[in-house]
Amino acid sequence: AQSVAQPEDQVNVAEGNPLTVKCTYSVSGNPYLFWYVQYPNRGLQFLLKYITGDNLVKGSYGFEAEFNKSQTSFHLKKPSALVSDSALYFCAVIYSGNTPLVFGKGTRLSVIA
Amino acid sequence: EAGVTQFPSHSVIEKGQTVTLRCDPISGHDNLYWYRRVMGKEIKFLLHFVKESKQDESGMPNNRFLAERTGGTYSTLKVQPAELEDSGVYFCASSGQGPYNEQFFGPGTRLTVL
């Protein structure tokens, strides 16, 4: 079955430091991977996606993610964290077309000034 | 361009009552999805419309849930009768034609069943 794992419920990082939010996916065909962010009292906002091509994907707000097929991972990264990055981050996968997203349970990122 | 909108933002009802949630997708988006997040757990798929047709309703928990999409525009999700375990945040998302398009999400409706 398709699944996504986000092994950390909470990630704490100091402002200005690099951040990583981890995501791994189950192997089944060719995955198409997404990251979404949810700020308090807001809906999910699309950050970036990997469909094909370059394994390093750049997205909104300075975030990037690297698709690693051998490790079945798609970790979200940012070189320098901002307090305003504090939010709930979701990794998601689809395996074909416009099928529904399969989400991880989410990781709460807290950036401390 | 207006985003996906959902109404109401919050709903508190008693067990056994009926609630109807509404979603207005981005204009022109043929694909419309409903998802639900129960407190602290994953966001789970409920169903998928392509225009007015149900493409996939495998995530609907039981027959107390009824979704419609009138004329391929807005969609409603009715829960009748509501049970305690239906509490959660219901998200709607829409996407355009073509594969692998990102889905745009609404702000969600927080449903509390007492």
Side-chain angles (χ1 to χ4, degrees):
Chain A
Q2 303 167 8
S3 66
V4 173
Q6 292 181 244
E8 303 153 318
D9 291 336
Q10 173 93 31
V11 170
N12 298 318
V13 64
E15 187 176 31
N17 283 1
L19 69 87
T20 298
V21 182
K22 296 180 180 177
C23 172
T24 59
Y25 60 91
S26 62
V27 180
S28 176
N30 294 316
Y32 303 96
L33 295 148
F34 299 76
W35 276 100
Y36 284 83
V37 59
Q38 186 181 20
Y39 297 102
N41 301 314
R42 303 285 295 276
L44 281 76
Q45 293 182 32
F46 169 75
L47 274 181
L48 50 80
K49 67 181 178 183
Y50 171 80
I51 302 299
T52 187
D54 194 347
N55 289 344
L56 183 64
V57 179
K58 294 187 182 296
S60 306
Y61 312 122
F63 283 93
E64 59 187 28
E66 185 167 13
F67 173 64
N68 188 319
K69 190 171 184 177
S70 64
Q71 297 185 1
T72 64
S73 68
F74 189 58
H75 301 332
L76 181 71
K77 299 184 179 185
K78 186 173 182 180
S80 178
L82 300 173
V83 172
S84 57
D85 292 330
S86 298
L88 190 56
Y89 290 80
F90 292 95
C91 183
V93 65
I94 62 172
Y95 287 89
S96 64
N98 287 313
T99 53
L101 293 163
V102 176
F103 284 92
K105 64 180 180 178
T107 298
R108 186 165 298 282
L109 172 68
S110 181
V111 181
I112 304 159
Chain B
E1 176 184 285
V4 177
T5 58
Q6 293 186 246
F7 182 83
S9 57
H10 294 85
S11 179
V12 181
I13 61 172
E14 296 197 349
K15 177 182 172 181
Q17 289 186 321
T18 297
V19 64
T20 300
L21 313 181
R22 174 171 170 144
C23 168
D24 286 78
I26 292 173
S27 178
H29 278 189
D30 289 340
N31 294 289
L32 187 150
Y33 307 82
W34 284 96
Y35 295 87
R36 176 175 71 174
R37 186 176 191 230
V38 174
M39 179 67 72
K41 299 197 173 180
E42 294 92 342
I43 299 171
K44 295 282 194 182
F45 164 73
L46 296 177
L47 87 158
H48 172 203
F49 284 99
V50 178
K51 297 184 181 180
E52 68 275 9
S53 299
K54 292 177 184 175
Q55 179 78 13
D56 180 356
E57 51 184 330
S58 61
M60 295 287 263
N62 50 61
N63 59 10
R64 294 186 294 104
F65 288 74
L66 175 64
E68 295 179 328
R69 188 178 183 191
T70 306
T73 55
Y74 70 91
S75 174
T76 58
L77 180 65
K78 180 190 288 188
V79 185
Q80 179 181 28
E83 298 289 344
L84 299 179
E85 63 265 25
D86 300 332
S87 296
V89 180
Y90 289 77
F91 291 104
C92 175
S94 70
S95 68
Q97 292 182 351
Y100 321 121
N101 286 326
E102 57 267 29
Q103 295 177 21
F104 294 88
F105 281 77
T109 294
R110 182 175 295 278
L111 175 64
T112 302
V113 183
L114 302 175

